[in-house]
Amino acid sequence: MQSSLFDTLKKFDLLIIAAIFLLFIPLLTMQRTTDFMIFCVFVLAFDLIYGYMGRLSFGHMLYLGVGAYAAALSAEHLSGNPFLALLVAVVAGGAVGLLLGPIIVRTTGACFALINLAFNQVGFFLALIALAEWTGGEDGMAAFYDSVWIFDFGDPKVIFGFTLLCLIAVVYFVRRLTDSPFGILLRTIKENETRAKFLGYNTFFYKLLAFVLSTSLAALAGALTMLNYTYATPSFIDPTRNVEVIFACLIGGAGNVYGALAGGIGYMVISNYLPNYIQRWEMFLGIALLVVVFRFQAGIWGYCRALITARKGEVKA
Amino acid sequence: MQNGMVLESQSVSKRFGNFTAVDQVSYQLFEGEAAGIIGPNGAGKSTFFNLLTGLYPPSEGRISLFSRDVTSLRADQRVMLGVVRTFQLVSVFDTLSVLDNLVLSVVRFHPVAGKKARFILGSAHPAAIVAECMAALERVGISHLAKETTAKLSYGDKRKLEIAMGLALKPKVLLLDEPLAGLSDGEITEVLDLVREVHKEMTLVIIEHKISRIVDLVTRLSVMHEGRLIADGVPGEVLQDPTVRQVYWGAESSRVFSGLAAEEKAEV
Ligand SMILES: Nc1ncnc2c1ncn2[C@@H]1O[C@H](COP(=O)(O)OP(=O)(O)OP(=O)(O)O)[C@@H](O)[C@H]1O
Ligand SMILES: [Mg+2]
């Protein structure tokens, strides 16, 4: 019974996801809810590399930041078309991934994490100081977008709807990617890359592909943030903010699309409400993380799934 | 002589620091052979396999496959040319289901599902692929385990799975590194039967510790000792070779030695 209900729900997962975010609107502002969804896109991008491929990046803010600045620069120097800005951002994110990827994906473990962080710090420095002439340095830069057809991004409802569409598309895309043989290959790379090579796969190529897809999606999240706030500041590329996405991925359950969404929402809820009650709310993040590490290693989603499978077993027995 | 040559090494060596694990080994493998490689612990057998299959490059020498120099080719490129291996310690993906362990092998050379776009965005489990995976599992006798998580399998079943993963890649040469190690007597018989069956379709190289197990299976026997190839030929002759007897069995207990000698006489 339980299991068939679960399977039915799974068929309508995209609708359910949309419904959940619509329910958030009365609880928060529309702009804030949009923020939640953008963050979920970012978590999905990160999880492709971390949860599926088993490579922990400490520098994914770089790719988000590249997207945000690219979208802003596109408005300033090319045209006010928001869709062009999105395209420019995704291409820029992909290009940065393609440029840095060949160096980064050769490494694993701590090296992979830190090399991403190193590049992130370079990017932060560039945005803050070296390229301040273009990025506005510490003040950041504002950009305004024309309305195209029904898409007037000055209207929070429009940007909410558009971001929701983007999120659904990204969920669908990531699910296709990870349900494919490529998805299996990513998991084999996580478990034992050498063995995967002996199945005839050039793992370097596929790691690079996953990396570039991840940086492009992260840049999409950056560009959406830009549309949502109409300004980009160095905080969008700040390496110290990497902990947010790592944390979200861990509490949600890495290596699963629903886990990434649960983590994205979970983190945003915590960071949205806790500061109202407790000044140094980050400490509670730390405590929550400890609980996850010791008690719920598979994250929120992993815990739910274990419950469901346990129920299934009972039903059978 | 070039005709029918499958795999060849020309004085390949592998050094780890000052230690020479494989020392100037020249070896030729011909189509249809079932070649055995024996030798005491640390003789360099697995290292030699690693060189042949491209896990790491040799310190010296060259390796060719079907008369083509493959010394600088990556492991995956050699797989594409038909060299497939198993590992001394069974190497399968514990976190995946048994079926998913086979998907990558089945898809690799698949005319439709192997296409890049399909590989990246298509389903991993279309009916045709699942059927092929199941057939591959059937062949090694573990199709009833298809849905299990691989971590739950016994060592013997994992070995069968690993062989199935290799066979699904439709190899021209299959290199088996101690495929019988750690298996129960019943499983050994099953795997040996399978190997015998497989030999009808491809060239084989088998590393084995206990010669008695493979002596009636192989058409050719090579002995490695301290990184060098000290004998190579028809099993009967190799086992009579005085250096082999001294170097190889001298190091083992005399019980093993006499047991083998008796076994061998019975063969002849
Ligand atoms: N990566 C490595 N680094 C350093 N030494 C190594 C490495 N691989 C193997 N060796 C050494 O090379 C020698 C040969 O090892 P190898 O595994 O090839 O032997 P083997 O003949 O397969 O033995 P066994 O029967 O125990 O499997 C051993 O002394 C081993 O310690
Ligand atoms: Mg060995």
Side-chain angles (χ1 to χ4, degrees):
Chain A
M1 280 290 273
Q2 292 290 339
S3 65
S4 69
L5 174 67
F6 178 66
D7 290 336
T8 325
L9 287 179
K10 215 168 166 175
K11 281 207 189 82
F12 299 103
D13 58 349
L14 297 180
L15 283 176
I16 294 169
I17 293 165
I20 289 173
F21 284 106
L22 286 168
L23 286 177
F24 266 108
I25 299 176
L27 301 174
L28 304 153
T29 65
M30 204 165 258
Q31 196 182 38
R32 217 41 207 131
T33 315
T34 305
D35 241 8
F36 275 36
M37 294 187 292
I38 296 171
F39 187 63
C40 285
V41 171
F42 188 40
V43 179
L44 283 164
F46 176 83
D47 196 35
L48 193 59
I49 294 297
Y50 174 61
Y52 289 94
M53 203 170 81
R55 303 290 191 270
L56 176 61
S57 161
F58 282 169
H60 251 53
M61 285 303 291
L62 171 64
Y63 316 114
L64 183 113
V66 163
Y69 279 111
L73 289 167
S74 161
E76 194 164 296
H77 299 289
L78 296 174
S79 95
N81 187 318
F83 296 102
L84 180 71
L86 285 166
L87 184 70
V88 167
V90 171
V91 170
V96 169
L98 206 54
L99 190 75
L100 305 181
I103 309 166
I104 293 175
V105 302
R106 275 173 211 284
T107 62
T108 57
C111 196
F112 185 91
L114 296 179
I115 198 168
N116 273 292
L117 178 60
F119 282 123
N120 196 164
Q121 268 158 345
V122 171
F124 184 57
F125 169 78
L126 290 177
L128 191 64
I129 295 159
L131 302 177
E133 201 178 312
W134 287 278
T135 62
E138 209 169 342
D139 302 331
M141 61 190 296
F144 297 95
Y145 296 95
D146 307 337
S147 55
V148 178
W149 188 41
I150 57 166
F151 294 100
D152 169 17
F153 287 111
D155 181 351
K157 282 198 284 296
V158 171
I159 186 139
F160 173 89
F162 183 74
T163 306
L164 183 58
L165 280 181
C166 283
L167 175 67
I168 297 291
V170 169
V171 168
Y172 178 74
F173 178 63
V174 171
R175 216 177 39 187
R176 284 289 294 265
L177 276 180
T178 53
D179 284 349
S180 71
F182 173 63
I184 296 181
L185 181 60
L186 290 183
R187 272 169 275 173
T188 65
I189 289 173
K190 177 180 184 174
E191 193 177 329
N192 184 349
E193 185 182 346
T194 304
R195 189 64 181 97
K197 288 181 188 168
F198 282 99
L199 294 178
Y201 292 90
N202 180 4
T203 51
F204 175 79
F205 171 80
Y206 290 101
K207 282 189 296 179
L208 184 60
L209 178 63
F211 187 73
V212 170
L213 289 170
S214 174
T215 59
S216 307
L217 289 177
L220 173 66
L224 290 170
T225 314
M226 182 66 213
L227 290 183
N228 196 25
Y229 285 108
T230 64
Y231 66 83
T233 74
S235 77
F236 288 5
I237 197 170
D238 187 346
T240 58
R241 286 184 58 199
N242 281 303
V243 65
E244 295 173 9
V245 69
I246 298 171
F247 184 87
C249 207
L250 283 176
I251 56 170
N256 186 290
V257 174
Y258 306 119
L261 293 170
I265 297 173
Y267 178 86
M268 288 305 263
V269 167
I270 295 174
S271 67
N272 195 67
Y273 289 110
L274 259 188
N276 297 344
Y277 307 104
I278 306 150
Q279 220 175 17
R280 299 287 1 146
W281 63 283
E282 291 93 341
M283 187 183 86
F284 286 85
L285 272 189
I287 292 170
L289 193 58
L290 284 177
V291 173
V292 168
V293 167
F294 287 109
R295 183 67 187 80
F296 305 102
Q297 274 175 18
I300 300 172
W301 181 252
Y303 185 72
C304 295
R305 208 165 38 170
L307 275 184
I308 292 159
T309 8
R311 284 261 176 80
K312 263 188 197 175
E314 268 169 39
V315 171
K316 260 182 214 155
Chain B
M1 215 43 184
Q2 281 295 356
N3 240 355
M5 175 108 73
V6 175
L7 197 55
E8 183 183 18
S9 77
Q10 292 170 356
S11 36
V12 291
S13 301
K14 182 69 188 176
R15 279 183 290 274
F16 297 109
N18 287 329
F19 179 75
T20 307
V22 170
D23 194 2
Q24 300 280 325
V25 171
S26 293
Y27 182 84
Q28 294 170 332
L29 183 72
F30 296 94
E31 204 173 327
E33 277 190 310
I37 299 181
I38 58 170
N41 280 108
K45 306 179 297 289
S46 297
T47 308
F48 183 54
F49 261 28
N50 294 343
L51 293 172
L52 291 177
T53 56
L55 183 64
Y56 33 60
S59 310
E60 270 162 34
R62 17 175 286 156
I63 292 155
S64 28
L65 187 62
F66 302 107
S67 308
R68 169 179 172 189
D69 189 341
V70 296
T71 319
S72 57
L73 291 194
R74 295 185 311 264
D76 57 283
Q77 292 172 309
R78 297 190 203 187
V79 172
M80 298 308 285
L81 293 173
V83 190
V84 171
R85 70 173 295 178
T86 64
F87 290 80
Q88 181 163 351
L89 270 177
V90 166
S91 184
V92 291
F93 300 103
D94 275 352
T95 56
L96 301 181
S97 72
V98 172
L99 188 81
D100 280 354
N101 264 275
L102 277 161
V103 167
L104 292 178
S105 300
V106 166
V107 156
R108 191 65 190 103
F109 291 98
H110 199 277
V112 184
K115 290 248 161 50
K116 276 265 181 333
R118 278 283 181 107
F119 181 79
I120 293 165
L121 288 169
S123 162
H125 304 116
I129 296 297
V130 172
E132 275 194 54
C133 293
M134 291 307 287
L137 290 173
E138 193 75 57
R139 181 157 194 204
V140 299
I142 55 167
S143 55
H144 58 291
L145 298 171
K147 294 250 179 327
E148 294 291 331
T149 303
T150 305
K152 289 186 189 151
L153 264 55
S154 71
Y155 193 80
D157 286 337
K158 283 187 187 177
R159 178 63 84 192
K160 291 176 196 168
L161 172 60
E162 191 186 26
I163 294 174
M165 287 158 73
L167 292 177
L169 285 166
K170 304 188 175 68
K172 298 197 173 82
V173 203
L174 183 62
L175 307 172
L176 302 166
D177 192 346
E178 301 204 22
L180 309 176
L183 270 55
S184 71
D185 287 345
E187 289 167 338
I188 287 177
T189 319
E190 286 166 7
V191 171
L192 276 178
D193 286 346
L194 175 66
V195 170
R196 216 168 262 123
E197 202 51 42
V198 161
H199 178 221
K200 292 177 186 156
E201 296 156 37
M202 63 193 75
T203 311
L204 285 180
V205 188
I206 306 169
I207 292 179
E208 181 49 54
H209 234 86
K210 300 204 178 89
I211 307 123
S212 56
R213 283 173 178 165
I214 55 159
V215 81
D216 56 344
L217 174 85
V218 297
T219 56
R220 142 128 177 255
L221 195 60
S222 312
V223 184
M224 284 190 77
H225 177 61
E226 293 179 346
R228 274 169 293 117
L229 197 63
I230 59 165
D232 189 10
V234 183
E237 284 169 22
V238 169
L239 293 174
Q240 295 296 344
D241 188 298
T243 16
V244 171
R245 296 197 148 210
Q246 195 196 334
V247 155
Y248 185 62
W249 291 294
E252 297 200 355
S253 75
S254 58
R255 190 183 50 79
V256 174
F257 169 55
S258 50
L260 269 162
E263 212 173 288
E264 204 207 307
K265 265 181 204 127
E267 289 287 313
V268 180

